[in-house]
């Protein structure tokens, strides 16, 4: 069974950058489309970026031009580079397959954008 571990979150000022990582173990992750999701308190989970097994990417309008998703299949790792962060980007960020699979969901990593 695939296990996902997200890291790289933290506290950052508006306009700052963070790079999130998602390492998959216990299975072959690269053959699946992967997404970065986020969930803020009191809000529904939102899909912010996806990357296909071939490397095609898509972004939510709210992050387009600021976030970049990428993957290193040799390392079974997916990244999310986040630039020009805004307070509304504050959330717990998770990676998962696209569509979401409850059975492999990790703990996520907290991103807080605040001055």
């Amino acid at each position: 069974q695939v296990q996902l571990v997200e890291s790289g979150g933290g506290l950052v000022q508006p306009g700052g950058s963070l790079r999130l990582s998602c390492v998959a173990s216990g299975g072959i992750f690269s053959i699946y489309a992967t997404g970065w999701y986020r969930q803020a308190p009191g809000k529904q989970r939102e899909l912010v970026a996806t990357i296909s097994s071939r490397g095609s990417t898509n972004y939510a309008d709210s992050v387009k031009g600021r976030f970049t998703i990428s993957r290193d299949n040799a390392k079974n790792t997916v990244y999310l580079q986040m630039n020009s962060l805004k307070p509304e980007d504050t959330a717990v960020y998770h990676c998962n397959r696209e569509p979401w699979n409850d059975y492999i969901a990790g703990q996520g990593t907290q991103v807080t954008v605040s001055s």
Side-chain angles (χ1 to χ4, degrees):
Q1 180 71 303
V2 172
Q3 292 185 321
L4 304 174
V5 177
E6 302 96 339
S7 63
L11 173 63
V12 63
Q13 292 186 340
S17 298
L18 284 173
R19 188 195 196 202
L20 307 184
S21 298
C22 170
V23 180
S25 61
I28 301 173
F29 199 55
S30 60
I31 62 175
Y32 299 100
T34 302
W36 277 99
Y37 303 76
R38 66 186 181 188
Q39 188 162 20
K43 294 188 177 181
Q44 288 190 332
R45 186 171 59 232
E46 174 189 17
L47 177 61
V48 297
T50 60
I51 186 165
S52 73
S53 59
R54 296 185 177 186
S56 299
T57 59
N58 279 291
Y59 300 92
D61 287 344
S62 58
V63 306
K64 201 170 293 184
R66 300 187 297 121
F67 289 11
T68 303
I69 188 171
S70 61
R71 68 191 309 161
D72 184 336
N73 290 337
K75 296 182 178 179
N76 246 8
T77 302
V78 177
Y79 304 98
L80 186 68
Q81 177 67 43
M82 307 187 296
N83 299 327
S84 302
L85 283 161
K86 304 176 181 180
E88 51 264 43
D89 295 319
T90 295
V92 177
Y93 284 71
H94 297 263
C95 70
N96 204 304
R97 290 178 188 165
E98 206 287 307
W100 180 274
N101 183 324
D102 280 334
Y103 294 102
I104 65 171
Q107 294 299 309
T109 186
Q110 174 71 47
V111 172
T112 303
V113 185
S114 174
S115 55

